[in-house]
Amino acid sequence: MDEWFVCVPGGDPVGPVSTALLILGIRSGKVPDDALVCRVGEKTWTGVMEESALAAAMPGPEAFRGAEADSRYKPKSVLGVGGMGEVHLCADEWIGRDVAMKIALGGKDVEPHLRARFIREALVQGQLEHPSVVPVYDLGTRPDGATFFTMKRVHGLTLAQIVEGHRKNDAKIVKTYSRRRLLTAMSNVCLAVSFAHSRGIVHRDLKPENVMFGDFGEVYVLDWGVAKVLEDSWAVKASATAGAPVGRTQAGSIIGTPGYVSPEQVQGEVAIGPPSDVYALGAILFELLALEPLHRGNTTAALSASTLALDGEKPSSRAESRNISPELDAICAKATARDPKKRYATGREMQEAIERYLDGERDREQRKEIAKRHADAAERAFEAAAKAGPAGEPDRARGLRELGAALALEPSNEDAMRTLMRVLLDTPSELPPEAEAELQALEKKDRVRGAKDGALVYTLFSVPAILLFTMHVKQPLLFLLVALVTLGTQGYFFWMWKTGNAERKYMRIAVPLSFLLVALQSTVFGPFVIAPGAAAVTIAAFLVSLRAGKEVRRLVLLAGVASVAIPALLQFVGLTPRSYGVVAGNIVLRSDLVEFETVPAMLLLAFGSISTMFATLMTVGQSVDALVASERRNFAQAFRLRQLLPSGGRMQSNPPGV
């Protein structure tokens, strides 16, 4: 084995150090810039060693050739081509497995410094024993003189392919690689990079193409060819080349891929450390979330300018429709800060930030799953309630409780919200007993209000009746009967109003009493002048206050018609004096109750007509106001319920999933 010694002027040599350790830049203690690195019996270089010098000092191809290495690996196909090597799928005849063989470009004629970099990649990758770093199996030389190393053959898709699949809305990729799965993978990538940092290695070329998802959940960080060993003074100091092609790592230019490298890498700074990899991780996370690169441009110059200009960009600013959370925005912004000191100090810090978000996301996923179970249970309960009819009220109540639990766990659950709206807005054919009791209480309240209106109306009718006393009464007993029925009806309605006794049994007395009073009004102006209007007002008042059904409406209508028709029929058959006669082609009106005098009679007729209109306004008008107000409240309630849906308040007649 070749042995190297590190000598400090005026001090004792430190060593021996193996070639591999020297290549990796691992030294015993701090090495000053004026240190001498020498190999026994060979040339000595002073100060910083250039890569070409190191390559000249490295072992030749024959040192890596195994006794039977030529026959061990059988090429099968080409897997891909990178910046420094070509990857082949090979059969390992010794072990009986497939491996990936990376062969240095240029074969036996490859320039020494490129060959040294290639070997260095194998050594660096081999030092990183981590589940997310592809293990190196062998290092050697092919029969054609090309240097190679073999490693585990991995199957799967790169993150670049997955992101492209999401861009194109590929159904299989979208279903297989959810955002949560991709973020979990990014967490693993951050840990792998942090592990490399702990071993003194910076990747320097992290990008979506260098992150691979295995077929069984594995995540790998690939291509360690340009990795930097911290404190490695012989690493190539590269500068940017503005006209270089985009998308491939360029040897001798920017170390890394433009668009993913950090600002300090673009500026060619020597002090590249873990924050540079953190920047690349942030750029990858940005692209994963926004489905577009952090930096856009068609040339290295454009990408470099964007890298130096942007500072802490948030993916939500580029993809509002992607519903990117503020926590993820903050992680990307911090990781891609222009100032390295403002970034996460290590990949582990970034990984911990992602995990904190995922912990909350896992809680949300769990709540979502539990909410779905509650929503499904609610659906089953409502189906059972529908089949059971009135007896299904316990199932309906259970369904509402399940819906409440679902919405408490996930307020934005659209299916549960639609079900709740359907239950609240659909009119049931029958009310449960508790609701029926509440409705009857409300109806009683309306009847009490109707009794109040009736008392006021009859008082209004009584005012113009005072004019009757100014005229001669023909039939005192009939006059007394009209007065008693009027006062009795008015008093009865006052009693119902003040006592609240407005149940149906009391209304059964109020209905005939009211229409009897209408019939008796025919004794003043006959059955076809004031009586029909009074009958119509009375019918309307009872229909509204009683919330009459079909049966009650027919009875009230029959009573109203009878209050006008019976007096008219009695007069027609001659059982009572006729109120109307025709004299010289004119209709003459006679009263059974009083002898008309012109002024009082005309005033009484006018007041009677006006009172009928006011009575209509008081009874029917108030009921219409109450009906309109109730209708508006119901509409407002339904409208507000619809606002709970993300669809903006519009609900289909048959919403999906309801």
Side-chain angles (χ1 to χ4, degrees), residues 7-12 36:
C7 302
V8 180
D12 297 326
L36 305 178

Side-chain angles (χ1 to χ4, degrees), residues 414 417-418 421 425 635 638-656 658:
E414 191 168 345
M417 199 66 68
R418 285 198 181 97
M421 288 180 59
L425 297 179
F635 182 83
F639 182 79
R640 291 188 182 115
L641 286 172
R642 287 198 296 270
Q643 301 311 302
L644 296 174
L645 285 177
S647 56
R650 295 184 178 275
M651 190 174 104
Q652 302 171 359
S653 56
N654 293 308
V658 178

Side-chain angles (χ1 to χ4, degrees), residues 286 289-290 292-294 296 310-325 328-329 332-333:
F286 184 100
L289 295 170
E292 67 171 72
L294 171 60
R296 294 172 287 192
L310 294 182
D311 186 14
E313 189 81 350
K314 296 179 179 179
S316 63
S317 64
R318 303 266 194 93
E320 294 182 2
S321 62
R322 295 276 298 159
N323 193 28
I324 300 168
S325 71
L328 293 175
D329 265 346
C332 286

